[in-house]
Every structure is written in structure tokens, then in C-alpha cells.
Amino acid sequence: MSATNRFAGRVTELDRKLAATEIEHARSEGEYDVAETARRLALVQTATTRAALRVAVAGRADGVIPPALDAAPRIAAALWLLISVVHIVIWLMIGVISGEWDPWLLWVLFGGGLMAAGVWAAREWDRRLRSVSRTGG
């Protein structure tokens, strides 16, 4: 079974035993000390989803991307879009009421867009580094 499909769906006792075996194997190879092994085994025992099992086994060469890092670009883009829409409405109201169409809106749109693009680039950079470390080259 592939590494990506190994922990997809509901958790069974067999899944917990497989995850615990992987953690014990990693400890025997020196990847984890006793405290880290105990912490990860406790996570395995309390896991109710297979995503939680992935978190418990993560740290090995599986290339599991942290959920926050994976969601960060979408969150940044959504916030940038929301803030941009609010600023466009304010800019239009100011322009209609006062008749002055100052270009301050461009700073908000481009600045926020650059920050959202930076978050997206950071995630892609992390994915590339993980794929290189997984393939060993």
C-alpha cells in the first residue's frame, strides 16, 4: 500500500498497530529518543482519524505537510480578497462623495497581493524542499 493511502479514512486497531510499529522502528533506528517515542505512541492511542495518525508518524521521510502550512496560502488569498473588496467599496464611496479619485487603493491592492503571493511562494518552496529530500537528491 502506498504511503499516501496508508492512513486514509477511519481508524482501526490494525491502523494503530501499524503506526505504532513504524514509530518503534524509527526509534530503533535512532530517529526518536524514548520521550519522543512515548509522545508519538500516546498520539497514536488517542487518534480517532487517520489524519491524526499521520501527525503521530510524521517526521519520517513521508513528507507530511503541516496542515497550517498547506492552508496558509488559501487563507492569505481569501483575506487579501476580502480586504481588497472592503477597500474598493470605501475608495468608491470617497470618490463619489468627494469627487477625488486618489490612487491610494493601488498600495492596498498591490501590497496585500505581494504578501499573499509571498505566503504562496513559501509553501511551494517548502513542497519543493520536501520532494527533494524524499527523493534523496
Side-chain angles (χ1 to χ4, degrees):
M1 183 176 278
S2 72
T4 55
N5 291 331
R6 181 177 46 217
F7 295 126
R10 299 182 62 137
V11 175
T12 64
E13 283 306 310
L14 179 60
D15 296 327
R16 285 193 178 98
K17 287 178 184 176
L18 288 172
T21 302
E22 284 191 41
I23 292 169
E24 287 292 338
H25 179 70
R27 185 188 62 80
S28 70
E29 290 183 350
E31 290 184 40
Y32 306 139
D33 61 3
V34 175
E36 180 66 13
T37 302
R39 185 186 73 79
R40 289 177 183 268
L41 289 174
L43 288 173
V44 166
Q45 292 306 316
T46 60
T48 57
T49 65
R50 293 195 178 193
L53 285 179
R54 276 195 303 273
V55 169
V57 178
R60 298 195 31 140
D62 293 337
V64 176
I65 297 173
L69 182 62
D70 201 33
R74 289 188 302 274
I75 293 169
L79 284 174
W80 172 59
L81 183 63
L82 177 69
I83 290 169
S84 295
V85 168
V86 169
H87 278 89
I88 288 171
V89 169
I90 291 171
W91 182 74
L92 286 172
M93 287 174 34
I94 290 172
V96 169
I97 292 170
S98 69
E100 296 181 22
W101 299 94
D102 291 330
W104 61 266
L105 177 67
L106 297 175
W107 290 104
V108 174
L109 297 178
F110 290 133
L114 284 175
M115 286 192 291
V119 172
W120 206 284
R123 188 200 48 188
E124 290 303 314
W125 179 67
D126 181 71
R127 282 186 174 178
R128 286 189 189 114
L129 285 178
R130 287 174 189 274
S131 69
V132 167
S133 68
R134 248 183 293 156
T135 59

